[in-house]
């Protein structure tokens, strides 16, 4: 999923932004798409372990003052990167890797972290062919699950078909605005895949909707990541 989002983003970068990303990263966006997951528990990076989701309250508002929040960190890094040319190359590179991953993460359906006061929206376990599987794990892998046999570039090219006006509408606002929409809309996934349910026995109607949500969020993440990077490197 992260690779698909990064690939979509890369295809929607301006020539200048694409070259700048390559200059700092020395590789493609998909190559670094899961970098944060590998480094989150390494010395010096421990705090980033908590930057992968967006905590919200019962009214779908971001928890005030909570900096362990993907949307907060995305906005913070974007502000810092306004003067990227004054930062060390290594800091710019790390910031880009953070953005590549966190913009993707906040669009994963299960990465809106709902209040403990709403137990029906807590993480639960499901089954995959009789074996216990985490609800979180299923949704993290949902893009691949619904596109078996396809590589990330093939998946991206299959769905990246929107026109400029449609993409512009998706990209309106910033990470806070996107998180607010996610908080409302992603409540649905908890009704589509009930606790302890067998994934392979979920109704065709539910699977169709789950696939729609997974791919909608991947597209949103890809286009919005491109917007963020294009704005950073517009000057």
């Amino acid at each position: 999923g992260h690779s698909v989002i990064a690939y979509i983003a890369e295809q929607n970068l301006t020539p200048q932004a694409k070259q700048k990303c390559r200059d700092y990263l020395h590789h493609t966006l998909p190559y670094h798409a899961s970098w944060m997951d590998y480094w989150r528990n390494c010395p010096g990076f421990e705090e980033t372990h908590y930057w992968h989701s967006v905590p919200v309250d019962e009214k779908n508002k971001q928890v005030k003052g909570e900096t362990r929040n993907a949307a907060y960190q995305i906005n913070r890094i974007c502000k810092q990167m306004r003067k990227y040319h004054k930062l060390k190359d290594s800091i710019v590179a790390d910031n880009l890797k953070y953005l590549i991953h966190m913009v993707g993460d906040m669009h994963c359906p299960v990465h809106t972290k709902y209040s403990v006061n709403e137990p029906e929206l807590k993480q639960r376990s499901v089954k995959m062919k009789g074996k216990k599987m985490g609800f979180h794990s299923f949704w993290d892998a949902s893009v691949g699950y619904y596109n078996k046999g396809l590589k990330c570039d093939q998946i991206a090219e299959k769905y990246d078909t929107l026109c400029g006006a449609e993409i512009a509408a998706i990209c309106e606002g910033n990470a806070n605005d996107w998180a607010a929409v996610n908080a409302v809309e992603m409540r649905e996934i908890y009704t589509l895949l009930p606790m302890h349910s067998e994934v392979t026995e979920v109704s065709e109607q539910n699977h169709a909707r789950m696939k729609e949500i997974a791919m909608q969020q991947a597209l949103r993440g890809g286009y919005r990541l491109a917007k963020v990077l294009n704005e950073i490197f517009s000057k």
Side-chain angles (χ1 to χ4, degrees), residues 9 27 29 50 52 58 78 85 87 97 110 149 153 185 218 230:
H27 220 298
L29 268 60
Y50 305 97
H52 297 252
E58 298 93 323
C78 285
H85 54 284
L87 301 173
K97 295 172 190 175
V110 81
D153 56 336
E185 293 185 353
N230 284 336

Side-chain angles (χ1 to χ4, degrees), residues 54-220:
V54 179
V56 298
D57 61 22
E58 298 93 323
K59 296 181 179 180
N60 299 315
K61 303 294 184 182
Q62 289 185 54
V63 178
K64 290 185 177 181
E66 180 57 80
T67 62
R68 292 179 167 184
N69 174 339
Y72 173 89
Q73 294 297 335
I74 290 167
N75 287 332
R76 178 188 65 79
I77 291 172
C78 285
K79 182 177 180 180
Q80 183 184 41
M81 290 284 278
R82 291 174 187 169
K83 298 181 179 180
Y84 72 90
H85 54 284
K86 295 185 178 181
L87 301 173
K88 292 182 179 179
D89 287 0
S90 60
I91 293 177
V92 173
D94 281 357
N95 279 346
L96 291 175
K97 295 172 190 175
Y98 289 139
L99 291 174
I100 292 168
H101 191 87
M102 289 192 296
V103 174
D105 254 354
M106 72 171 288
H107 287 90
C108 179
V110 81
H111 280 240
T112 295
K113 188 176 181 181
Y114 292 103
S115 169
V116 295
N117 297 322
E118 297 183 278
E120 70 277 13
L121 303 178
K122 70 177 182 179
Q123 300 299 314
R124 73 275 299 272
S125 63
V126 294
K127 295 179 182 178
M128 178 66 76
K129 297 181 180 179
K131 294 184 178 181
K132 187 176 179 180
M133 181 183 194
F135 185 77
H136 193 128
S137 297
F138 171 79
W139 281 105
D140 272 357
S142 59
V143 171
Y145 179 82
Y146 288 115
N147 294 278
K148 290 187 173 86
L150 297 181
K151 296 180 180 180
C152 76
D153 56 336
Q154 295 172 316
I155 298 172
E157 289 166 3
K158 179 180 178 181
Y159 293 96
D160 182 11
T161 59
L162 301 189
C163 69
E166 291 171 315
I167 294 173
I170 287 172
C171 292
E172 288 182 358
N174 60 27
N176 288 335
D177 301 307
W178 308 333
V181 173
N182 287 341
V184 174
E185 293 185 353
M186 293 307 106
R187 290 172 172 267
E188 181 183 1
I189 66 172
Y190 294 86
T191 62
L192 294 170
L193 189 59
M195 187 180 295
H196 305 314
S197 59
E198 168 58 58
V199 174
T200 61
E201 296 177 0
V202 171
S203 70
E204 290 186 9
Q205 182 178 1
N206 278 23
H207 268 301
R209 179 57 182 151
M210 287 156 65
K211 178 180 180 180
E212 183 180 24
I213 291 172
M215 299 317 303
Q216 164 198 278
Q217 292 299 100
L219 279 175
R220 286 176 172 177

